[in-house]
Amino acid sequence: MAHLIEKTVEREPTPSRSDGQPMEPVSPRQEAGWIGRLRDWIEERTGIFAFAKHHLDEPMPPGVGWWQTLGNLLLTLLIFQFITGFALAMFYAPTPDHAHESVRYIMEEVPLGAFIRGLHHWGSSFIILVVILHILRVFFWGSYKKPRELTWLVGVAIFQVMMAFAFTGYLLIWDQKAYWATVVGTRFASTVPVIGDWLMHFLRGGEEVGALTLTRFYAIHIMLLPVVLVLLTAAHLYLVRRLHIAGPVVPQKGKPQPFYPYQLFRDAVVVMVGVGALVTCALLFKPALYPVADPSGTNFTPRPEWYFLGLYELLKLMPPKLEILGTVVIPGLVALGMILLPWLDRSPSRHPARRMWVIEAGLIVIFLIGTLTLKGILSEHPMPPATSSAVSSTASLPQ
Amino acid sequence: MSNNGFEHNDDQPNAVLRRRVLGWLVGVINLAVLGGIVAPVLGFISSPANWRQRRKEWIPVLDESRLRPGETLSVNYQVPIQDGYTNAQRKYSVYLYRRLDGSVVAFDPSCPHLGCRVEFRERKQRYICPCHGGVFDADGNLVSGPPPTGLTKLPVRVDAGKIWIRRV
């Protein structure tokens, strides 16, 4: 790996290490004692201490600071999701008969249950928020440019995986909000030409949202997506370390500083603040649990989480028969634009003033998504609860 | 090019060809192994996409006498369905509307836009979709909003004093 890490960036030579010899074996300790001997024994077999030292000594270009701490915060929040998700899975049952009841049990009867679920619930919102900030930082700093195109691409894939996490996690609660959000979300697939209906049935595990939808989403949420996310995150970190951190747009004067302890201290402060805010949220605001999923249910206005509100509002604006614009085409174009960004932006400079059209296009997209999301937030209750005086009667068909 | 300091004995007869054939075989075997697991798993997990749960028989949902001319009622009913591994009594609802001429119309309450359940506002005589704002008149026709069509009409008949519908 050493020879890979030492490759320099084509246009942005990064400061070289003072020793010039990365990952040289850490010399055996001279001092006696069993700890020293154990350390040497491990080092001889794994090289782990040299590896750690190499990465902790990574030189940070001058100007790298607080904005570069978001990745570390994100990693910490992801680890929190893994831990709380693992804990919740021990008390949760993914069946229509038991899912809602098991969530209620977690919330009301298991000690610390409401807090653990709160961490997982609010953690997803925190992650989406920090991911967005992280993406914006990379966008405005132009850090996606050569040679970091693949780092950006893997990051975009991670963002998509996180949205998939949010969508599949939603249903597991099996309350009214979960049920109707999934009915609408999977219905998106049916607007795809030709294979739409098949795709919707594939996602649902049948014609309707039911037992197999729940097991499907559960399997995807706790098995498939975590594995994909770990692989993508590993690739992202590998690329970040191989290509070094991009540094400020305009190179600044000064001496590079090693990652440890200078940048890692900033990371630790931001992680502490972020995790503190998350814990506070989980303590103060219990996540909602609406009535159990009911396909015949009335008096419930389904609304997605805040990060899907922009899409929700966009769908209201689409003319009849053109809903595919809102469900597939426009979200697809935004995703495609993100994927192709490093190649759409041909300017060799990372400076925002020298790639104005990209910055302007980005600002317009950010403004539109922000406006739609804000509109969604402000129209919290678009209409009063249904007051239909219609009489309901219940009839059933014998088995 | 040497890897890890290893030198291939390319001077031996057929060494290059043998290496190429073996490498090719490794690729073929790996593809076969991958296909051996991916193909059956894809078939397994995609099988429910072709299942049909909806029952097509006529279902009695309401005594005919309970629906007056000009009135719209939301009626809940249950149907036994095979829901994956379980037999479930699934709750549904249907809107029944008796026109002034006495005929009965049944509407699927799921919005033709993206499937939210529409609500009937008796005072305005309008169906409103709470999700994306679709509006339909009492006869199910689209008035405004993003839905592509009016409400889906279900087959309905009146027989033996009951209103019967069929799910489509």
Side-chain angles (χ1 to χ4, degrees), chain A residues 346-398:
Chain A
R346 314 286 297 179
S347 160
S349 172
R350 282 174 52 209
H351 200 289
R354 300 206 184 95
R355 49 187 179 102
M356 274 318 283
W357 82 265
V358 174
I359 295 288
E360 282 166 3
L363 284 174
I364 289 169
V365 172
I366 294 163
F367 174 76
L368 290 176
I369 295 175
T371 307
L372 286 172
T373 305
L374 196 64
K375 185 169 177 288
I377 291 169
L378 294 177
S379 62
E380 190 65 44
H381 297 290
M383 57 184 73
T387 52
S388 166
S389 60
V391 181
S392 291
S393 83
T394 299
S396 65
L397 189 69

Side-chain angles (χ1 to χ4, degrees), chain A residues 171-284:
Chain A
L171 176 67
L172 305 183
I173 315 301
W174 202 248
D175 63 1
Q176 282 285 62
K177 184 171 183 174
Y179 177 82
W180 289 104
T182 307
V183 167
V184 173
T186 49
R187 186 78 178 257
F188 273 39
S190 74
T191 61
V192 175
V194 187
I195 60 161
D197 273 345
W198 185 89
L199 200 60
M200 181 178 77
H201 292 163
F202 175 71
L203 285 173
R204 288 181 175 180
E207 281 182 296
E208 295 177 5
V209 174
L212 292 188
T213 323
L214 196 49
T215 45
R216 228 150 237 259
F217 277 35
Y218 185 61
I220 293 170
H221 191 78
I222 73 162
M223 292 282 294
L224 180 67
L225 293 177
V227 170
V228 173
L229 184 62
V230 165
L231 292 176
L232 288 173
T233 306
H236 197 69
L237 290 176
Y238 168 75
L239 288 170
V240 167
R241 278 301 160 134
R242 174 174 153 78
L243 302 166
H244 304 292
I245 205 153
V249 175
V250 181
Q252 297 191 6
K253 287 179 185 169
K255 280 175 68 178
Q257 286 181 319
F259 176 67
Y260 176 84
Y262 302 101
Q263 184 63 18
L264 201 52
F265 174 72
R266 293 189 195 100
D267 284 2
V269 171
V270 170
V271 165
M272 187 184 70
V273 172
V275 169
L278 173 61
V279 168
T280 309
C281 262
L283 286 172
L284 293 183

Side-chain angles (χ1 to χ4, degrees), chain A residues 207-209 216 389 393 395, chain B residues 45 53 76 78 90 92 122:
Chain A
E207 281 182 296
E208 295 177 5
V209 174
R216 228 150 237 259
S389 60
S393 83
Chain B
I45 66 172
Q53 297 160 300
N76 293 335
Q78 291 187 15
R90 185 110 204 210
Y92 294 102
E122 202 175 19

Side-chain angles (χ1 to χ4, degrees), chain A residues 94-97 179-180 183-184 187-188 191 198 201-202 204-212 215-216 294-302 312 315-316 318-321 323 327 382-399, chain B residues 45-46 48-62 66 72-81 83-86 89-93 110-117 119-122 128-132 142 145-149 167:
Chain A
T95 73
D97 287 345
Y179 177 82
W180 289 104
V183 167
V184 173
R187 186 78 178 257
F188 273 39
T191 61
W198 185 89
H201 292 163
F202 175 71
R204 288 181 175 180
E207 281 182 296
E208 295 177 5
V209 174
L212 292 188
T215 45
R216 228 150 237 259
D294 178 6
S296 68
T298 52
N299 294 339
F300 187 79
T301 303
Y312 177 83
L315 291 170
K316 291 185 185 175
M318 290 301 115
K321 296 187 198 291
E323 73 259 39
T327 54
M383 57 184 73
T387 52
S388 166
S389 60
V391 181
S392 291
S393 83
T394 299
S396 65
L397 189 69
Q399 292 253 19
Chain B
I45 66 172
S46 64
N50 303 317
W51 297 346
R52 293 293 172 261
Q53 297 160 300
R54 284 182 197 153
R55 306 204 9 182
K56 308 289 191 235
E57 65 263 63
W58 288 97
I59 306 161
V61 289
L62 191 72
R66 293 186 62 183
T72 295
L73 286 182
S74 169
V75 180
N76 293 335
Y77 62 98
Q78 291 187 15
V79 182
I81 61 160
D83 186 14
Y85 48 84
T86 177
Q89 283 284 338
R90 185 110 204 210
K91 284 197 280 183
Y92 294 102
S93 66
S110 95
C111 179
H113 181 222
L114 288 170
C116 292
R117 192 188 182 286
E119 296 164 0
F120 184 67
R121 301 297 164 103
E122 202 175 19
I128 295 172
C129 176
C131 286
H132 308 106
L142 179 66
T149 62
R167 293 181 56 73

